[in-house]
Amino acid sequence: MEAGIDEYGNKGLCGLRIKRVQGSDGDVVMCVSEMVRGKIQMKRIENATSRQVTFSKRRNGLLKKAYELSVLCDAEVAVIIFSQSGRLYEFSSSDMQKTINQYHKHAKGVQTNTIEVEQCMQQSKHESADMAKKIEILEASQRRLLGHDLDSCSAQELNQISSQLERSLCIVRERKAQLFMEQIERLKEKGRLLLEENVKLHTECGARRCQKPLIQKKGVGAASCNWMNSSQSSSSQTISNSDQVETRLFIGQPVMHSE
């Protein structure tokens, strides 16, 4: 093993991998199989010549990979490279200017969206902070109205709390009275409907009672008519029988005539 400089100008351990091979005469022969390269350190290459060689090799490899990507995957690829001396190297699978314009349009849209998202986040943070302050104030006011945490209140604050409680109590009483009045009105309306229903039922019951005597009277009238008809028929029959009485005058004992 020995120390050396690789193609990138990095100093590292470079050595040979040695294998033992037995010859035909039985002697052991040492042979070299391959060179072992040390680990590359990702930092600037100090040697100018090595740096230029590395740039050329990696540039060509990058452009080759870009071409393969555009052909194999049907992708729109553009590569722009500037060397240390300012020389331009580029590759584009289509029109370079078109690809650049498309990139600017996309980047501008992303930047606009990013700005809008940041503004929305800032606004949301401010609104959240304001809401937290309001909630804290309301909670403190609620505790004071319930009679808690009054030790830190001044006389003016206590007067304000007392006035607020009185106003709240008046509002509660007014609402309570309003509910009572509404309930009374509903009960009155219900009573009125019940009275109307009662009057209706009384009227129906009176009508049914009046119908019974009329039915009885009709029955008596029919019976009297039947009696009169029977009387008339009997009298007419008597008269018809009297028409058959003989009116001749006989002297002597009466003689019975058979019918």
Side-chain angles (χ1 to χ4, degrees), residues 20-23 25-30:
R20 294 183 179 183
V21 180
Q22 187 174 3
D25 54 357
D27 297 334
V28 178
V29 180
M30 308 295 292

Side-chain angles (χ1 to χ4, degrees), residues 46-98:
E46 299 296 337
N47 189 290
T49 304
S50 300
R51 186 166 60 247
Q52 184 63 32
V53 172
T54 303
F55 174 76
S56 300
K57 289 183 178 181
R58 300 230 171 180
R59 179 198 64 206
N60 295 332
L62 180 60
L63 296 177
K64 182 179 179 182
K65 291 294 183 183
Y67 170 74
E68 292 176 354
L69 179 63
S70 63
V71 173
L72 295 175
C73 302
D74 193 19
E76 186 175 355
V77 182
V79 180
I80 299 174
I81 302 173
F82 288 96
S83 66
Q84 187 179 5
S85 60
R87 189 175 179 180
L88 173 64
Y89 301 91
E90 64 180 16
F91 167 79
S92 178
S93 59
S94 61
D95 186 16
M96 175 65 75
Q97 190 61 40
K98 179 182 176 182

